Amino acid sequence: MKKIIVKRFHLLCVLGLLAASGCNTFESEPLEWTLEEDVVNPKDSLASTMKGLYYAVYYSLPSLHNRLSSSYLDAATDDGVPTRDMGGSSSLENYRNGRLSPENIASLDGNAWKNFYTGIRRANLFLEKIKDYPTGPNLTADEKKRMIAETRFLRAYFYFELMKRWGGVPMVGDNVFNYDDDWNIPRSSMKDVKNYILNEVSPDVEGSCYNDLYEAMVTVPTELESIVGRVNKGAVLGFLSHLKLYMASPLYAEKLAEEGETVAEKERWQEAADAAKAVIDLGIYGLHKTSVDDEGVAGTAGFLEFFGDAKTIAGNNEEAIFFKLSGDGTSPESNNSPIGYQRGKCWGYTSPSQNLVDAFLTLDGKRIDDPTSKYPYDPQNPYANRDPRLTYTIFYNGSTWLKRAVETFDGGLDRPYSPGRIATQTGYYLRKFLGLNENRNDNSGFNSIPHNYNIIRYAEILLNYAEALNEMDRAGNSGAHAAVIEDCLIQLRERAGIEVGDDGRYGLPTSYTYEEMQEIIRNERRIELAFEEHRFWDIRRWKIAEDVMNEPVRGVEIVKLPDGSFQYEYVDVRTSTFDKTKMYWYPIPQTEMVGNPELTQNPGWDY
């Protein structure tokens, strides 16, 4: 950990979040020379520098948009590939081609080990020094208490991010290490890391951070606008749903069992179900929808609006539970729009796969290979009568963007024959996360809007609940929760715009086995949460990556015929390799292994 435990550090005061808190005490010397003793000086009666450190802890939350190989983590799964990977040689493609190693893992996942330990150190430094700051008009006792509680939660969350990648990791407690300290710390067990997180945040644990947080809220009153994006009790409950679902899943449950935890399978899934139900029972969260139409039916563009409209994306809405704030900008639009819209300004960095496109349902909620669908799938007219989430997630040939049709046919504006131009690798571009620009009359630019990263949203909670209940039923209550499971899925499909059907089931079968419902839930999760950094971890926690990642990634080649129609040919665009003996867990970065002789490497990576 030597690389991240330092005394002289950069507080990133240039961030919008930090700028809001003021940076006047940094003026006497260059920012990168700011000393820790200056940052945490209790003589600063305005406490502005301490608030700067507090916001810097928030900055250590993970980001989402184009953060890896200019693409998304899920482009390292069967859901896509990074467009500009030069034939499979980008760092993100190392997840797919078997070239993952202790030497390159730091760069592959954005220095996750370093960054999350940096967040933990910032949190520890803040918690150590805030105790000495007097309360007053600029830092009330209540605000101080809440800041401490939020920081404790964030520290616990950083440990979760480390644990889901590496399993057990070194735990530094409340220590703030400097160069002359002994920071050679062995790894704790994953069981100990999990229990530490639960003790820090759980509502039923005396002394946890929970009771000192703001109440859960979705519509923040004007006088509290400054708390948008801050951790509240709803975020904690949402995180506990996420955590307990992971801990009940095969990969993590098997690891905990190896470490001596003896919790029955049904009990694990019961805990996960209860955690999701606690969020639902708050009664304040829901799926974001547009206003009702003349017939009183909710509009179906809520899914798109949630990701792309400035009025809702700020997080002050019913679906956002835990998110990282982002300043206004157009980077996701220019990074992901198809390349033909603005030469040198639209890069189309992410190429979703045919595998993912095929996972989207037909308009009546059936799989495309289901012979009972009233909309038979035609591979030569593949996007007709499909789940509207396909249109809201992926640019396909004929999609509309900025007043023209997307052209991903060979030689089209967005897949040209131009030498040296890198275009979609699969015949698709990523639509999700891009702002609503449809009232522009040209392609001269994009609307500047915030692009917050929704770490946990209500749709995930419904999916968590459905999954946990279905697994409980398999473990001993066959069919007991079928109606509740179906209701969770129906809520998602209704919001998406799936047809209700004569039976009111939105395409769900009237009878099914546990395995069939498991597949339905997993597929619903895949399409609803696409490119939100779930698929990458889901196929690992379910322990199906060894199957999924040893299949080719597929795409489409489209030829425009003389009569203006199109001919579609489906092709393999990437091969994938996944070694189940070691690749379910990350290797610890080699620099950390060298710097801390107490560390032990994950199995299979000792070389």
Side-chain angles (χ1 to χ4, degrees):
M1 290 184 290
K2 183 175 182 179
K3 294 182 68 177
I4 59 96
I5 300 176
V6 294
K7 186 174 178 66
R8 189 184 295 263
F9 68 106
H10 186 169
L11 278 183
L12 300 165
C13 199
V14 296
L15 296 172
L17 284 174
L18 297 186
S21 69
C23 298
N24 54 306
T25 59
F26 290 93
E27 294 174 357
S28 62
E29 58 186 3
L31 182 60
E32 64 271 20
W33 290 1
T34 299
L35 298 178
E36 183 176 294
E37 51 264 35
D38 297 328
V39 174
V40 294
N41 182 3
K43 295 180 180 180
D44 176 8
S45 60
L46 295 179
S48 59
T49 49
M50 279 302 293
K51 287 186 177 180
L53 177 56
Y54 155 78
Y55 284 121
V57 180
Y58 271 95
Y59 179 73
S60 294
L61 284 171
S63 297
L64 173 71
H65 300 294
N66 301 98
R67 74 179 182 90
L68 300 167
S69 297
S70 300
S71 187
Y72 291 78
L73 180 60
D74 287 357
T77 71
D78 55 337
D79 279 359
V81 299
T83 299
R84 303 174 73 85
D85 69 353
M86 303 302 289
S89 62
S90 78
S91 60
L92 196 58
E93 282 292 294
N94 285 311
Y95 287 113
R96 192 191 317 283
N97 59 29
R99 291 199 292 264
L100 187 68
S101 72
E103 286 75 21
N104 65 18
I105 185 61
S107 62
L108 293 189
D109 197 0
N111 284 308
W113 181 284
K114 171 185 173 182
N115 290 343
F116 291 123
Y117 273 113
T118 296
I120 290 167
R121 187 182 191 279
R122 287 172 175 165
N124 283 348
L125 179 61
F126 173 82
L127 293 170
E128 176 184 298
K129 302 300 182 180
I130 191 66
K131 296 179 295 187
D132 298 328
Y133 271 82
T135 57
N138 297 302
L139 183 63
T140 67
D142 283 346
E143 182 67 1
K144 181 176 178 179
K145 181 172 64 175
R146 290 192 181 99
M147 290 167 68
I148 290 171
E150 292 169 36
T151 302
R152 288 179 63 191
F153 170 83
L154 293 171
R155 179 176 61 180
Y157 181 79
F158 299 148
Y159 274 115
F160 167 74
E161 288 288 342
L162 290 163
M163 180 177 67
K164 80 178 184 184
R165 290 164 167 82
W166 285 283
V169 295
M171 298 180 67
V172 300
D174 294 327
N175 295 311
V176 180
F177 290 97
N178 297 308
Y179 271 128
D180 52 353
D181 294 325
D182 180 8
W183 39 260
N184 293 324
I185 304 173
R187 298 172 68 175
S188 296
S189 68
M190 194 177 81
K191 177 183 175 182
D192 287 343
V193 178
K194 180 205 69 169
N195 289 337
Y196 168 81
I197 295 169
L198 291 173
N199 287 331
E200 279 290 279
V201 306
S202 296
D204 56 349
V205 173
E206 184 177 357
S208 79
C209 70
Y210 183 81
N211 287 328
D212 289 338
L213 295 167
Y214 280 104
E215 296 299 320
M217 62 186 78
V218 295
T219 304
V220 178
T222 303
E223 64 271 20
L224 292 177
E225 282 184 352
S226 63
I227 73 166
V228 172
R230 288 172 59 173
V231 174
N232 60 36
K233 291 179 180 178
V236 173
L237 295 181
F239 168 63
L240 286 171
S241 171
H242 189 85
L243 169 67
K244 291 185 178 183
L245 185 83
Y246 272 57
M247 295 301 104
S249 299
L251 177 66
Y252 298 92
E254 289 175 13
K255 184 69 171 176
L256 290 169
E258 290 173 6
E259 296 175 347
E261 184 167 284
T262 56
V263 179
E265 181 182 12
K266 182 180 175 182
E267 184 180 342
R268 295 197 308 270
W269 288 112
Q270 179 72 66
E271 290 182 6
D274 290 345
K277 185 68 160 48
V279 180
I280 295 169
D281 285 348
L282 288 174
I284 62 173
Y285 296 115
L287 298 175
H288 178 72
K289 301 175 183 178
T290 54
S291 57
V292 297
D293 61 21
D294 293 339
E295 297 179 355
V297 178
T300 60
F303 180 84
L304 176 63
E305 186 179 75
F306 178 75
F307 291 103
D309 182 73
K311 296 187 294 296
T312 61
I313 205 168
N316 196 15
N317 69 78
E318 68 273 38
E319 188 161 353
I321 296 176
F322 179 36
F323 52 92
K324 182 177 181 177
L325 282 173
S326 171
D328 292 1
T330 61
S331 292
E333 282 75 24
S334 51
N335 284 338
N336 294 295
S337 291
I339 65 169
Y341 282 87
Q342 289 180 276
R343 181 101 187 230
K345 293 184 179 179
C346 295
W347 301 106
Y349 283 136
T350 299
S351 297
S353 67
Q354 187 67 48
N355 313 53
L356 175 60
V357 171
D358 289 347
F360 283 89
L361 309 170
T362 55
L363 190 56
D364 60 354
K366 308 290 187 180
R367 294 293 298 263
I368 62 171
D369 58 356
D370 188 336
T372 69
S373 174
K374 70 177 186 179
Y375 299 109
Y377 174 70
D378 179 358
Q380 294 305 313
N381 188 19
Y383 316 121
N385 299 312
R386 298 292 294 276
D387 182 336
R389 285 174 293 189
L390 173 59
T391 299
Y392 300 158
T393 303
I394 293 173
F395 286 126
Y396 50 78
N397 190 54
S399 298
T400 300
W401 180 239
L402 295 180
K403 303 299 182 181
R404 78 155 169 89
V406 173
E407 297 182 356
T408 57
F409 56 87
D410 294 344
L413 291 172
D414 304 303
R415 202 171 193 178
Y417 291 124
S418 214
R421 270 197 99 179
I422 300 175
T424 172
Q425 305 289 295
T426 60
Y428 301 103
Y429 290 100
L430 183 61
R431 165 69 177 91
K432 199 172 187 177
F433 313 120
L434 307 195
L436 295 175
N437 297 279
E438 298 307 320
N439 46 345
R440 280 192 179 274
N441 294 320
D442 55 36
N443 61 351
S444 59
F446 302 107
N447 299 329
S448 181
I449 62 171
H451 294 88
N452 300 325
Y453 170 24
N454 281 282
I455 299 171
I456 299 172
R457 59 185 178 96
Y458 189 69
E460 183 204 336
I461 301 301
L462 293 175
L463 289 161
N464 293 353
Y465 194 37
E467 180 179 339
L469 291 177
N470 191 55
E471 298 300 330
M472 278 179 60
D473 286 355
R474 185 194 68 80
N477 291 311
S478 180
H481 300 98
V484 180
I485 293 168
E486 291 167 8
D487 179 65
C488 291
L489 299 174
I490 285 172
Q491 288 184 57
L492 293 165
R493 293 184 176 201
E494 185 273 333
R495 190 270 293 271
I498 296 293
E499 292 179 349
V500 62
D502 294 337
D503 58 4
R505 296 178 63 81
Y506 291 83
L508 291 175
T510 55
S511 63
Y512 44 82
T513 64
Y514 150 77
E515 289 82 7
E516 288 168 337
M517 178 50 70
Q518 182 188 67
E519 180 57 30
I520 290 170
I521 293 168
R522 289 181 175 184
N523 191 72
E524 198 78 28
R525 187 176 181 95
R526 181 181 188 181
I527 59 180
E528 173 71 29
L529 304 177
F531 290 97
E532 296 178 50
E533 293 204 1
H534 287 275
R535 181 69 174 171
F536 184 91
W537 302 112
D538 283 346
I539 62 176
R540 284 162 172 75
R541 68 181 179 87
W542 293 328
K543 293 199 74 175
I544 64 171
E546 59 204 70
D547 301 317
V548 169
M549 295 301 294
N550 283 310
E551 294 292 329
V553 177
R554 294 181 59 76
V556 62
E557 298 283 351
I558 309 169
V559 176
K560 188 173 184 178
L561 302 176
D563 64 0
S565 63
F566 297 99
Q567 178 178 300
Y568 293 80
E569 180 184 359
Y570 300 94
V571 297
D572 294 349
V573 297
R574 291 286 182 277
T575 57
S576 300
T577 300
F578 189 91
D579 184 346
K580 66 179 182 179
T581 66
K582 62 181 182 180
M583 291 184 69
Y584 278 108
W585 299 102
Y586 279 10
I588 294 176
Q590 187 63 27
T591 52
E592 302 298 335
M593 294 295 298
V594 171
N596 180 0
E598 295 294 323
L599 286 177
T600 55
Q601 184 59 275
N602 273 330
W605 298 111
D606 278 317
Y607 56 83

